[in-house]
Amino acid sequence: MELPVKYNPLEVEDKWYAYWLKNKYFHSEPDEREPYTIVIPPPNVTGVLHMGHMLNNTIQDVLVRRARMNGKNACWVPGTDHASIATEAKVVAKLKEQGIEKSSLTREEFLKHAWEWKEKHGGIILEQLKKLGASCDWDRTKFTMDEPLSEAVINTFVYFYKKGYIYRGVRMVNWDPQSLTAVSDEEVIRKETQSKLYYLRYFISEDGKPSDKYIVIATTRPETIMADAAVCINPEDERYHYLKGKKVFVPLINKEIPIIEDSYVTMDFGTGCLKVTPAHDINDYELGIKHKLPVIDIIDEHGCLNEKAQILIGEDRFVARKKITKMLDEAGHLEKEENYLSQVGYSERTNAVIEPRLSLQWFLKMEDLAKDALAKVENGEIKLIPDKFRNTYRHWMENVRDWCISRQLWWGQQIPAYYLPNGEFVVEATIEEALAAAQKIDPSVKMEDLRRDDDVLDTWFSSWLWPVSVFDPSKPGRPDRDPNAELAYYYPTNDLITAPEILFFWVARMIMAGGEFCQEVPFRNVYLTGIVRDKLGRKMSKSLGNSPDPIKLMEQFGADGVRLGMLLCSSAGNDILFDESQVEQGRNFCNKIWNAYRLIRGWEVSADIQQSEHSKLAAEWFDNKLSQTIETIDEHFSKFRLSDALMTLYKFFWDDFCAWYLEVIKPEYGKPIDKVTYDTTIVFFEKLLRLLHPIMPFITEELWQNIEERKDGETIMLQPQPKAAPYSVETIHAFEQGVGAIASVRNIRQSKGLSPKEALTLQIKGAFPEKIVSVVKRMANLSEVSLVSEIDNSVNGAAFMVDTIEFFVPLTGMVNAEEEIAKMEAEIAHLSKFLKGVEAKLSNERFVQNAPEAVVAMERKKQSDATTKIENLKNSIANLKK
RNA sequence: GGGAGCAUAGCUCAGUUGGUUUAGAGCAUCUGCCUUACAAGCAGAGGGUCGGCGGUUCGACUCCGUCUGCUCCCACCA
């Protein structure tokens, strides 16, 4: 079959992926082999593949495929996350399109819609991963709301509650008035927002009535004045000493509030008078507790003013702000307004302005858990790659706050707390157990009297169990229970590949859960990828439209090309600036591999001809170089230097294999190749394919299957990675001296405008490896190469050196002697300067005394080499001048 | 305001406990080639006083200090 000139990925990718699936090569079962395990960071079930996923999953696949080829029992567990807030928001939006309001549905009805949505859209992302070539064990696909995994979450909640780690409390939370839920600090995005600072007059009380004297306070939120509980001044602020012990009136509603003193107030900001609104600001809340102020909550869950506001009841907070400003102005309370740039918190999911709101939430105590999780990283049980993240990690773990785990949503695991009619509650995994517990409090309670808490748990409260629950969902919450066979075999997993921004939400918490329930870390290495940005360094986002569609990219450049493009520019922890040219480079490399194979395959093989000397040498060199390269690649992988490993391989294939090895052994046009060289070449090529396979699975399988007849069920996927054999540095160096000579001759040709077809001659003086002559002769198109004891300088020519070996190309009539001399003199000047530096070092007694012997010896060699070179150049010049 | 990190070629990055000749790579650039595997290619070439200053050392891209400029995290002045 004739192979096309260009590699066409579309024709091969689906074919081989289906073949791999059919033969269950991705599937893993515990056996006697050493396991290699990765659990996927579960993407949102309703998500679609973006560039970050591409990077992340390419890396995971490379590691998994390599481990599999190295004989490990490789298991990559895929799955998705229910992503409560994001998914619920999408379902609500979709229902709204159909004219259905969430509020008109019961919890059960809503959940039915949500599950339908999940069944329909969930898992698109997993199908997209297949296009990338991801070798996940799809039989193990999990979802964080699968029944057993949800049970694990409930058991975990009950466990921590009974341990005394979970408590219920009033807290100021970040309230999202749009999705009607509390969101975590991490889900609040602070953005610089242009707002206004309003200066308001609060009249001072005299005998319980407003006097004509007033103070001015500055606020960005005039709509909250009705919730003011005090005005605070700094006790050091002499301007306001006269106010101590006095009271002022809140404008419009004429409520009398005290003046309090606290050093929290910054004297030089605003007016130095702060209105204290405990219900609607986190700092004011803390102040309120300190000064025992009442909490007046005037904003409802939708962000509208409630009846406690007394005025503007039912108005949205932003509408109310406008209206009240006008009212204050009309009533003579507005002194002035100023533009003010401030940091405002927005909900990551809905982009609504976050409202600090007091509410009853469930919390998990973090102190002990964090201490333990910090130790695991500090003592090296878990390695972060790159390790600069250890500092960040430590900082976070030492300043951890209790985790607000309740969310006012329906999509998720409902909190297993059951309220008795008297307001008390019990926490149990099932309603039956809850009833039994409730009856201990009040024997008259019946099942229908119990009301379950409405809230669901934070999504991270299920994903922190992921590395445990995908294998043994009965383990979380039950540290004493023996692990099942799967967990015992696969846990702890080996490597976790994820983004640094979820180091705390997810990675740290998995370490906590793993320690608590398995008494063992969940993974050994955490490889933190960078954020994929566009080439201008901007984060990829829908609104900027700067994020390419990964599927289209793969269609255009092939999955292997995209994988290579992603890896090329990604060192751990550094953001990657994505540019389509990288993917193009990946595609070009695929084509290079493809064409190398076309060349080899096109040769006619003859058993009758002898292997040439140059082919033999090339093979010997390449074999040694192969081992050396494998060693380098292995080392890079052991340190998670993926892009370095890839680049080593890329250059080895392109430069060493194609540009040198193949060019040397290539038979003349129309002539056959000897069998020995051909067979050796096939062996080399097959090894290269195996080395490349983890990175470029499709093209390597296609060519591997094509090299020779394969039986059904055979695959490159399960071939071993080539191992490095002992190699000779001398052999490699000798050949590369030849390469240097060839390059110089080519350079001379080019600079003299000579055609590559025009044969030249070459004289060599010095310790040039004699056997390499045949290679040089062939590759530099030389009619004659002579090893001489003295350069024959009876004709003009061009001279050059490789190491200290002298070379001379006679070029009668083609050389401008003066030009050559000028070139050489420049070289002498350069070398002299260098030599001077070296000699200065060597004449420094302290250097000779203190530096290690090897370093001194190196300097001496530098000295003698440079001296020799200068002498040689001087000789050449003298010859040319004759 | 607190903490962390980064600064090396036009771009993206390596540079592994301070010493491997004159600091490397890929991409881009320039020159010459439609050479019978590949123009998604081949053969060459140019390009950096390692952000500035100071210090430690026989020796600094590497260690310390400082300044400048970026980035991220945390807390945020109403």
Side-chain angles (χ1 to χ4, degrees), chain A residues 443-463:
Chain A
S444 71
V445 169
K446 293 197 244 348
M447 191 167 295
E448 56 269 30
D449 297 331
L450 292 176
R451 190 181 59 78
R452 187 167 181 178
D453 197 296
D454 281 328
D455 291 358
V456 298
L457 288 155
D458 180 11
T459 306
W460 300 111
F461 199 82
S462 62
S463 42

Side-chain angles (χ1 to χ4, degrees), chain A residues 115 118-119 141-155 412-414 429-430 452 462 465 469 473-474:
Chain A
W115 277 105
K118 185 259 170 188
E119 293 309 326
T141 306
K142 296 287 187 293
F143 174 53
T144 51
M145 269 171 73
D146 286 342
E147 193 52 42
L149 276 74
S150 281
E151 275 173 27
V153 171
I154 298 301
N155 291 339
Q413 288 93 6
Q414 194 174 354
T430 62
R452 187 167 181 178
S462 62
L465 307 175
S469 59
S474 69

Side-chain angles (χ1 to χ4, degrees), chain A residues 799-806 824 827-832 834-835 861-877:
Chain A
F800 63 89
M801 276 184 277
V802 173
D803 297 333
T804 53
I805 306 162
E806 290 178 79
M824 285 190 266
E827 178 72 11
I828 288 174
H830 187 66
L831 282 167
S832 303
F834 170 69
L835 183 61
K861 175 150 173 21
K862 284 184 201 173
Q863 183 187 30
S864 83
D865 283 2
T867 310
T868 312
K869 282 185 182 181
I870 290 170
E871 272 169 29
N872 290 344
L873 285 164
K874 283 183 175 164
N875 286 337
S876 300
I877 291 173

Side-chain angles (χ1 to χ4, degrees), chain A residues 761-770 773 784-794 799-800 804-810 872 879:
Chain A
T761 62
L762 178 69
Q763 298 174 30
I764 306 174
K765 179 193 167 195
F768 187 75
E770 200 177 332
V773 166
E784 198 188 323
V785 177
S786 40
L787 293 166
V788 296
S789 53
E790 280 307 320
I791 301 286
D792 172 14
N793 42 47
S794 58
F800 63 89
T804 53
I805 306 162
E806 290 178 79
F807 296 80
F808 184 72
V809 182
N872 290 344
N879 291 337

Side-chain angles (χ1 to χ4, degrees), chain A residues 68-71 690-691 716-723:
Chain A
R68 195 181 285 122
M69 291 175 85
N70 277 328
R690 280 189 269 146
L691 284 168
I716 190 172
M717 267 189 67
L718 302 179
Q719 303 303 312
Q721 274 288 303
K723 297 270 180 298

Side-chain angles (χ1 to χ4, degrees), chain A residues 585-605:
Chain A
Q585 196 183 343
R587 177 201 59 182
N588 294 356
F589 187 48
C590 289
N591 208 42
K592 188 71 187 176
I593 298 169
W594 184 256
N595 275 292
Y597 180 64
R598 280 182 66 226
L599 174 68
I600 297 167
R601 191 177 183 268
W603 287 331
E604 186 195 330
V605 185

Side-chain angles (χ1 to χ4, degrees), chain A residues 199 204 214-218 231-246 259-261 265-274:
Chain A
Y199 288 77
I204 298 168
Y214 59 86
I215 57 165
V216 179
I217 59 105
V231 165
C232 189
I233 56 169
N234 191 306
E236 308 288 311
D237 196 336
E238 290 181 7
R239 293 173 297 172
Y240 297 124
H241 276 177
Y242 75 96
L243 287 173
K244 289 186 181 183
K246 298 213 164 148
I259 301 276
I260 59 168
E261 300 165 51
V265 177
T266 318
M267 292 191 287
D268 54 10
F269 185 88
T271 61
C273 291
L274 170 72

